[in-house]
Amino acid sequence: MATTPSSAVGTNPAITGLESTFAEQLSALAVPWQGADAPDPRLLVVNEPLAISLGLDVDVLRSVDGVEVLSGASAPVGATPVAMAYAGHQFGGYTPLLGDGRALLVGELVGDNGERVDLHLKGSGPTPFSRGGDGFAAVGPMLREYLVSEAMHALGIPTTRALSVVATGRDIRRTGAEPGAVLARVAASHLRVGTFEFAVRQGEVLQTLADYAIARHYPALTELPTEKRYLAFFDAVVEAQAALVAQWMLTGFVHGVMNTDNTTISGQTIDYGPCAFLDSFDPAAVFSSIDQGARYAFGNQPAVLKWNLARLAETLLTLIDSTPDDAIAAVTTVLDSFDERFQRHYAAGMSAKLGVGGEKIDPALIDDLLALMTTHSADWTGTFRALAGELRGESTALDVLIPREQLGSWLTRWRSELARYDRDDAADAMDAVNPLYIPRNHQLDAALKAATNGDLAPFEKLLEIVTHPFDRRDDWADYATPAPPVFSESFQTFCGT
Ligand code: AMP
Ligand code: MG
């Protein structure tokens, strides 16, 4: 197995023009490495629009050379793939060295919008950071990340994207034997809170890392003098992450493993492991088999994010002020603004979901709806579409979710709020922001099982649907309804597989 250190520059011509600014400027955080051979590589899915936007030739990606690059078995011409070092707090406990145990940063591309993105492989074989793991990934979880990240993108939520999944032809051992796969992922960067937690213990590289992150994600701040720059950087990350977690809460998304190594500096969602979308609204919902303490329950996500940002703050103190107490006071003020920022994004989003868009909505209207939805285990996604239906005089869908005798007075208050702001077009405005189709756990589960057994058709169909989340089609009706209760009661997703 060609899983070896490599300082050799790649020669595969399928992808050209890759740059390596991270590996060059932050070599202290990068180990040049090569992916494992794939015994029998087969391209399962490739994201044509994304490839085109990155200036990649889709026919070439489908060729033998292309599939070899996407499997990690060979490196693109001029590229020096690296495994990235990072640390992280996992479920609250600190691990000083995690790093890419089954992944490689292949290089960077500048897309047609001028933005630099990482091309990264997940499941590409063991690295010096594998810590006893096998370095591989299975078809099911890689297709899961592909589909959920593309659904998130279609929903307008900042996220890493998926470029391809290649089945490697290697069986890997999980609960039983599973077919192995490599996901090619595209991200604004792979800088994480955990990258800073690692760098702060390495000395000088911390400031280089912070300047690199600023130049890449918050370039306006490069103009600031150093005594202001790093606090402004922290502020910008807090703002990006507060906006992101608000979007998760508005969409019913449960990330499942919000460790600090899975919290980005860019504000994109990253690492779709044991993630899931709510059907029945329940703030306590946990889907992950490894989250025994319910740390990453749906309703805990904003608080956990703030906790992760506190870990980032700790790494920046020496850059922010040479007097420790002053540095702590400065980051604390910024961190304290998290709750207000999250609430502002969340309230604006709920206002749009309820058709009141752009106006400050009565907070009690939100709280009372959430309380009713909790009591009646109402389907999160379905309720907002049913409320728009109610405005059009179609009440059946709503009556199934929450009994009218319970909801009646809330509906009256909501309608008067709409009247107050003259929202005659509320139903259409609501349908433009409330998805009809999300990756429903039972549908995704069935599609991944079929794909693992060699039948990609259900996956392809589901992918088509969830990447058009607002486009109603009669033949997609089954995809807009929640799972049967017998499925939901026992559903779990598994991490690290
Ligand atoms: P994740 O939960 O996917 O964010 O991964 C957390 C850490 O575990 C990262 O350092 C991963 O590289 C590592 N890891 C996860 N799965 C494997 C595996 N099969 N082999 C080696 N390392 C892994
Ligand atoms: Mg991770």
Side-chain angles (χ1 to χ4, degrees):
M1 191 188 304
T3 307
T4 48
S6 164
S7 51
V9 178
T11 55
N12 187 311
I15 297 179
T16 57
L18 280 176
E19 297 176 16
S20 307
T21 62
F22 177 83
E24 285 159 15
Q25 295 172 39
L26 291 155
S27 56
L29 309 178
V31 179
W33 205 258
Q34 192 188 309
D37 284 334
D40 181 19
R42 227 161 33 86
L43 185 62
L44 300 184
V45 54
V46 62
N47 189 335
E48 296 198 7
L50 177 62
I52 292 165
S53 75
L54 296 171
L56 303 176
D57 183 325
V58 179
D59 291 334
V60 174
L61 289 182
R62 290 182 185 282
S63 73
V64 172
D65 274 346
V67 175
E68 198 171 286
V69 162
L70 296 174
S71 78
S74 72
V77 61
T80 46
V82 296
M84 297 168 82
Y86 50 86
H89 279 85
Q90 301 180 302
F91 295 92
Y94 184 64
T95 303
L97 182 57
L98 291 169
D100 286 334
R102 54 164 172 175
L104 291 174
L105 170 62
V106 183
E108 300 138 25
L109 287 162
V110 179
D112 56 13
N113 56 5
E115 276 165 29
R116 176 176 300 272
V117 292
D118 282 359
L119 175 62
H120 173 103
L121 302 176
K122 184 162 169 180
S124 51
T127 76
F129 304 119
S130 294
R131 296 178 300 139
D134 63 3
F136 296 116
V139 163
M142 294 306 97
L143 288 176
R144 165 184 280 275
E145 171 154 346
Y146 188 109
L147 185 138
V148 179
S149 65
E150 287 304 304
M152 294 284 273
H153 175 73
L155 291 164
I157 301 175
T159 177
T160 63
R161 303 283 310 271
L163 180 63
S164 63
V165 176
V166 173
T168 57
R170 174 187 288 103
D171 275 350
I172 61 170
R173 207 181 306 196
R174 291 297 180 260
T175 38
E178 297 248 354
V182 176
L183 168 81
R185 152 165 107 184
V186 169
S189 85
H190 283 79
L191 304 179
R192 312 140 189 269
V193 170
T195 316
F196 282 79
E197 292 180 287
F198 181 78
V200 72
R201 289 164 174 83
Q202 308 299 309
E204 274 168 26
V205 70
L206 177 70
Q207 187 160 6
T208 315
L209 172 65
D211 284 334
Y212 179 88
I214 289 167
R216 201 154 160 185
H217 299 302
Y218 306 102
L221 308 184
T222 52
E223 308 294 325
L224 293 176
T226 49
E227 65 273 19
K228 295 211 169 131
R229 193 185 303 155
Y230 303 108
L231 185 63
F233 167 60
F234 180 57
D235 188 277
V237 179
V238 169
E239 177 59 25
Q241 285 288 349
L244 178 66
V245 75
Q247 297 234 46
W248 293 357
M249 301 308 286
L250 292 163
T251 321
F253 176 73
V254 187
H255 182 282
V257 61
M258 291 176 68
N259 296 330
T260 55
D261 50 301
N262 293 337
T263 300
T264 59
I265 298 303
S266 65
Q268 287 184 332
T269 312
I270 197 168
D271 266 2
Y272 294 85
C275 60
F277 286 82
L278 293 182
D279 27 44
S280 295
F281 179 67
D282 176 10
V286 176
F287 297 96
S288 167
S289 61
I290 58 168
D291 193 1
Q292 301 290 342
R295 180 179 174 90
Y296 301 139
F298 176 71
N300 278 355
Q301 294 185 121
V304 166
L305 212 283
K306 185 178 177 185
W307 191 91
N308 289 354
L309 292 168
R311 306 290 75 77
L312 176 64
E314 286 161 1
T315 72
L316 298 173
L317 293 175
T318 55
L319 300 178
I320 285 170
D321 201 304
S322 53
T323 310
D325 285 351
D326 291 349
I328 290 169
V331 293
T332 302
T333 304
V334 174
L335 196 61
D336 284 348
S337 69
F338 177 87
D339 297 342
E340 188 278 320
R341 292 178 199 226
F342 166 74
Q343 278 305 334
R344 184 163 36 79
H345 290 294
Y346 184 74
M350 280 302 266
S351 177
K353 284 176 86 65
L354 291 171
V356 186
E359 305 292 344
K360 229 175 154 181
I361 196 168
D362 172 11
L365 202 61
I366 298 175
D367 294 345
D368 295 348
L369 177 64
L370 296 186
L372 283 162
M373 289 177 76
T374 310
T375 305
H376 299 284
S377 299
D379 182 65
W380 177 259
T381 305
T383 298
F384 292 93
R385 297 296 290 212
L387 284 169
E390 173 78 14
L391 293 179
R392 298 191 181 99
E394 303 149 11
S395 55
T396 330
L398 191 57
D399 286 341
V400 173
L401 293 164
I402 305 174
R404 191 147 295 254
E405 61 273 19
Q406 307 283 324
L407 187 63
S409 68
W410 185 89
L411 286 173
T412 309
R413 284 160 57 205
W414 175 48
R415 281 182 181 277
S416 63
E417 194 87 343
L418 291 172
R420 184 151 78 96
Y421 294 117
D422 259 346
R423 289 289 186 252
D424 311 333
D425 57 349
D428 289 346
M430 290 170 71
D431 284 354
V433 294
N434 294 316
L436 199 46
Y437 312 110
I438 48 146
R440 297 259 176 198
N441 300 320
H442 63 304
Q443 306 274 11
L444 183 53
D445 213 44
L448 297 181
K449 281 199 178 101
T452 299
N453 292 322
D455 176 12
L456 277 169
F459 174 84
E460 286 164 355
K461 179 165 187 195
L462 187 60
L463 179 64
E464 170 75 6
I465 294 168
V466 300
T467 51
H468 296 88
F470 304 101
D471 303 352
R472 180 187 291 281
R473 272 184 40 178
D474 291 342
D475 54 331
W476 289 353
D478 285 353
Y479 291 82
T481 48
V486 58
F487 176 91
S488 303
E489 278 156 20
S490 61
F491 177 68
Q492 283 196 325
T493 61
F494 295 88
C495 188
T497 48

